[in-house]
Amino acid sequence: MIERGVFALALRRAFGIGSLVVFVLTAFAIGWIDWQGATGLPRGEAWVLRGLERRGLWVALIVLLGSAAIARAAGQFARWRAREFDWIAAVPVARARWLVSTWAGEVVALAMFLVVAAGFVELSIGESRAAERVVEVRALPRIALVDATSRVEWRFADAPSDARARIELALAGGGRAAEVRWRARRGEVSSATGAIVGLRKTLELALPPGEGPVTFDLERVGEGAIVVADPDGLCLAVPVASDRLATVAIALRLGPALAAAAALALGLGAWISAPSAFAATLAFWIAAWFTARPSSFVPAADVFDALEFVAAGLVPPLPGAVSYVGAALLVVVGLVLAAARPWKRNP
């Protein structure tokens, strides 16, 4: 299905001098930014600062790679019509094969840029360190600690024995601070932690070892402000050898998304103008990012949620298999759209 000559041509053009210069200059420019200080947060633990820098670098590179991928694919038909229509018509390669080969060349080039971007991020961060990887985010009951006797209890049927639980608390009025205690019990073994919540506070708790159900309880200690929990839930994380796995998790989200965006923009660019195809493709992902519950079928729909874990010094969970299925469907839709449009010199 792939015509090697067309594939090589698309790959060579994707690595044109202009693309390389823009990529290198942008990479070095974002490398000079103090992403840790740019957040406006006070400097604190080294692992948090590493997470903030890694997130900042990836956000900038996502904008660069995403806009480049969509713009090149959206303008492909316009370039063919302007300069190469007669030559393409004379080449003995079926239209569908030409489109697939061109898209494949663009995707391989994007994959190479993505690998370089990942290496650049990790070189900027420095040596790797041990970290924790998020394995699951579970729903919580409604938590509102109103008075000194407030206490909320909930139960999970199972949880990894080596996991640490994280919960984010915030004040909801009634004072400037409140003291809370959080406990976990598994059989006869328990663990506990406590803290004073001032505006917002993340609590971490090592789960009791062993197997079986885990019971949690959260209570307010004494008088203070009203305390509520983040409705997004409780995060369970397990130890991993390197925080570089965070970059792997982000790259595995971006790869399928870039491939799908290139195909969709190519298909739309066959029917509408390049700027309109660019805007429509970008709007599709923006809509996915801003929904309350991102669809698991849209590749990289949860990339910014994953980057929030990165900013907290955690390794995000790997993307689910369903996102790769969604990426494959978007690729098929984009290439079918492109093939269905009769090739004419004028739009």
Side-chain angles (χ1 to χ4, degrees):
M1 189 63 182
I2 301 293
E3 169 57 43
R4 288 195 292 180
V6 179
F7 171 86
L9 176 63
L11 183 62
R12 189 165 59 249
R13 287 180 170 179
F15 280 110
I17 187 65
S19 300
L20 292 174
V21 169
V22 170
F23 182 82
V24 171
L25 291 179
T26 305
F28 276 105
I30 63 177
W32 283 101
I33 298 175
D34 180 9
W35 295 104
Q36 300 169 5
T39 61
L41 298 175
R43 295 177 179 272
E45 298 293 338
W47 56 274
V48 175
L49 299 182
R50 287 165 62 86
L52 291 172
E53 182 174 0
R54 185 177 275 116
R55 179 185 64 174
L57 290 169
W58 267 118
V59 168
L61 288 169
I62 287 171
V63 173
L64 172 64
L65 291 172
S67 59
I70 296 173
R72 278 192 59 82
Q76 192 68 261
F77 269 86
R79 290 191 293 272
W80 284 339
R81 292 186 184 112
R83 300 191 297 269
E84 300 171 344
F85 184 84
D86 294 334
W87 172 69
I88 292 174
V91 176
V93 177
R95 180 171 59 188
R97 193 176 181 187
W98 183 283
L99 288 168
V100 171
S101 301
T102 299
W103 169 80
E106 293 281 350
V107 168
V108 170
L110 285 170
M112 293 179 180
F113 277 120
L114 183 58
V115 169
V116 173
F120 170 78
V121 169
E122 293 309 311
L123 284 174
S124 299
I125 296 297
E127 64 182 54
S128 66
R129 298 186 181 182
E132 294 179 346
R133 177 174 60 85
V134 177
V135 293
E136 192 175 357
V137 177
R138 298 190 179 183
L140 287 174
R142 183 177 179 181
I143 294 177
L145 306 181
V146 178
D147 53 43
T149 61
S150 293
R151 183 173 178 272
V152 177
E153 183 174 298
W154 67 96
R155 180 184 177 94
F156 289 159
D158 61 89
S161 61
D162 59 343
R164 292 181 66 85
R166 296 166 59 95
I167 187 174
E168 188 169 358
L169 304 176
L171 299 186
R176 296 183 178 181
E179 185 177 356
V180 297
R181 182 183 296 120
W182 188 27
R183 289 177 292 197
R185 301 188 305 276
R186 194 196 306 257
E188 300 299 323
V189 184
S190 65
S191 58
T193 187
I196 295 177
V197 181
L199 191 58
R200 298 186 73 91
K201 180 71 175 181
T202 299
L203 295 185
E204 292 191 22
L205 178 65
L207 297 188
E211 298 181 354
V214 179
T215 301
F216 294 92
D217 66 78
L218 181 70
E219 62 180 341
R220 204 175 80 185
V221 181
E223 299 295 333
I226 299 172
V227 178
V228 296
D230 189 329
D232 287 341
L234 179 144
C235 170
L236 296 176
V238 297
V240 291
S242 173
D243 60 354
R244 295 198 195 284
L245 293 173
T247 280
V248 174
I250 298 301
L252 288 177
R253 284 170 167 80
L254 291 183
L258 292 172
L264 190 58
L266 179 64
L268 292 172
W271 295 88
I272 57 180
S273 68
S276 297
F278 178 91
T281 305
L282 185 60
F284 176 81
W285 262 272
I286 290 176
W289 291 330
F290 279 90
T291 55
R293 297 289 179 184
S295 172
S296 56
F297 280 97
V298 180
D302 65 340
V303 68
F304 290 105
D305 292 333
L307 286 170
E308 288 303 310
F309 287 128
V310 172
L314 298 170
V315 175
L318 295 177
V322 69
S323 67
Y324 291 92
V325 175
L329 291 175
L330 287 173
V331 168
V332 171
V333 169
L335 294 179
V336 168
L337 276 174
R341 172 69 166 172
W343 284 32
K344 299 179 180 179
R345 185 180 299 277
N346 297 317

